[in-house]
């Protein structure tokens, strides 16, 4: 096989880094670990040695077929049996695609393909609500954006959307030589714990995310202007923003996810009040 840039294949091959990742992910025997993009299986072997079960989701048919053989050749039979390989696209995999006999995944541990890391992570958190915590390796610049607090230059759409699901933090840098082939970018770890409850119910998430997209599409503009199209007019946007207790003159990068949720809620209230009455 040959690694391809199209699939973001830079494989983790350093055993010390594998041990470090497994330790930081806090994998235990009661966990069902979900790994997306296992590649050659280096991290997979480390996860299988600690977790009660590991579900490895691999889109490359050649790698998916080789992974059980790798586990069987390098692990005791009792440990190798903990591995369950699912040939599927991580961007689309759902709980129904996983083996029916397994409990739902509780932890995500993965070296995510860098070219789709953000939609992968957000999609998995949406579709697998049983994931309570995780550790993912991504491009360093992406890791900084995912974990950025409000008010900073790099705070943006990924920061707010990840904050909807979880509290996240940077968990360390990863040097380039631990990969094959070596990437041309730096890498970093993002650790997260799912929030006990998001700022709104799941039905509100789509509206909050649409609001976030609108606010950051014109991030240099004040909210009353940036959200004019989203609300229908600048005047209506200002009314909604004020009702949420937010300054209409603020910019999108200063709001945390709770503030966005309040604005979306007030928009829904305003929409209901504009409807027909009896």
């Amino acid at each position: 096989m040959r690694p391809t840039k199209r699939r973001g294949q830079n494989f983790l091959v350093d055993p010390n880094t594998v041990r470090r990742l497994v330790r930081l992910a806090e994998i235990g025997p009661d966990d069902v670990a979900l790994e997306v993009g296992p590649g050659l299986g280096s991290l997979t072997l480390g996860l299988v040695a600690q977790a009660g079960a590991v579900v490895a989701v691999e889109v490359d048919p050649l790698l998916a077929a080789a992974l059980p053989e790798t586990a069987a050749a390098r692990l005791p039979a009792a440990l190798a049996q903990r591995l369950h390989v699912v040939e599927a696209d991580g961007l689309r995999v759902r709980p129904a695609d996983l083996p029916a006999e397994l409990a739902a995944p509780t932890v995500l541990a993965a070296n995510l393909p860098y070219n789709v890391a953000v939609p992968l992570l957000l999609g998995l958190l949406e579709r697998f609500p049983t994931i309570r915590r995780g550790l993912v390796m991504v491009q360093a610049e992406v890791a900084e954006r995912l974990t950025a607090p409000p008010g900073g230059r790099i705070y943006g759409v990924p920061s707010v959307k990840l904050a909807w699901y979880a509290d996240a933090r940077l968990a360390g840098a990863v040097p380039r030589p631990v990969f094959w082939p070596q990437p041309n970018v730096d890498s970093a770890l993002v650790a997260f714990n799912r929030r006990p409850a998001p700022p709104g119910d799941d039905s509100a998430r789509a509206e909050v995310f649409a609001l976030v997209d609108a606010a950051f599409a014109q991030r240099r503009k004040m909210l009353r202007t940036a959200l004019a199209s989203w609300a229908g007019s600048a005047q209506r946007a200002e009314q909604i923003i004020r009702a949420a207790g937010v300054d209409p003159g603020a910019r999108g990068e200063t709001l945390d996810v709770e503030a966005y949720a309040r604005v979306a809620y007030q928009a829904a209230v305003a929409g209901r009040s504009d409807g027909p009455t009896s």
Side-chain angles (χ1 to χ4, degrees):
M1 67 154 295
R2 294 180 182 274
T4 66
K5 289 185 178 180
R6 179 175 62 86
R7 286 181 169 161
Q9 290 177 326
N10 295 95
F11 302 123
L12 177 63
V13 294
D14 178 65
N16 289 327
T17 303
V18 168
R19 285 189 282 269
R20 175 189 174 202
L21 267 62
V22 173
R23 183 182 73 255
L24 291 174
E26 300 178 348
I27 304 292
D30 295 329
D31 283 314
V32 175
L34 178 64
E35 182 187 12
V36 175
L40 300 177
S42 298
L43 179 57
T44 311
L45 296 178
L47 296 173
V48 167
Q50 297 296 323
V54 174
V55 180
V57 177
E58 176 57 61
V59 68
D60 189 314
L62 181 62
L63 292 173
L67 199 54
E69 299 175 4
T70 300
R74 295 178 175 270
L75 293 172
L79 293 183
Q81 292 175 0
R82 298 178 183 176
L83 174 63
H84 304 265
V85 180
V86 175
E87 185 182 329
D89 185 346
L91 289 167
R92 298 175 177 82
V93 67
R94 295 184 174 276
D97 300 321
L98 273 53
E101 69 273 14
L102 281 182
T106 58
V107 59
L108 173 65
N111 171 27
L112 296 179
Y114 288 4
N115 52 346
V116 291
V118 171
L120 252 179
L121 177 58
L122 296 177
L124 291 169
L125 287 172
E126 175 191 349
R127 298 190 302 273
F128 290 87
T130 57
I131 293 176
R132 309 314 307 168
R133 66 185 188 283
L135 183 81
V136 294
M137 184 155 46
V138 296
Q139 184 177 340
E141 180 181 346
V142 172
E144 291 170 356
R145 291 183 181 277
L146 285 169
T147 58
R153 180 181 57 83
I154 60 174
Y155 181 71
V157 172
S159 322
V160 185
K161 291 184 177 180
L162 179 55
W164 171 272
Y165 296 108
D167 296 316
R169 61 179 177 83
L170 287 173
V174 181
R176 299 184 187 188
V178 304
F179 298 97
W180 174 76
Q182 286 191 36
N184 295 321
V185 296
D186 294 324
S187 304
L189 301 171
V190 173
F192 66 85
N193 288 280
R194 190 182 286 268
R195 300 168 63 125
D201 60 28
D202 192 61
S203 62
R205 177 181 48 79
E207 186 62 28
V208 173
F209 282 16
L211 169 61
V212 171
D213 290 337
F216 282 97
Q218 304 181 70
R219 65 179 295 149
R220 294 185 180 275
K221 295 186 177 181
M222 293 182 292
L223 283 172
R224 67 165 66 91
T225 303
L227 298 180
S229 296
W230 170 81
S233 69
Q235 180 181 6
R236 184 176 176 83
E238 180 162 351
Q239 292 172 345
I240 291 170
I241 296 165
R242 287 192 184 278
V246 175
D247 178 7
R251 289 174 170 78
E253 60 265 30
T254 65
L255 272 62
D256 61 16
V257 68
E258 285 81 6
Y260 278 109
R262 294 199 306 271
V263 174
Y265 172 76
Q266 290 300 328
V269 171
R272 288 195 293 269
S273 66
D274 289 345
T277 59
S278 57

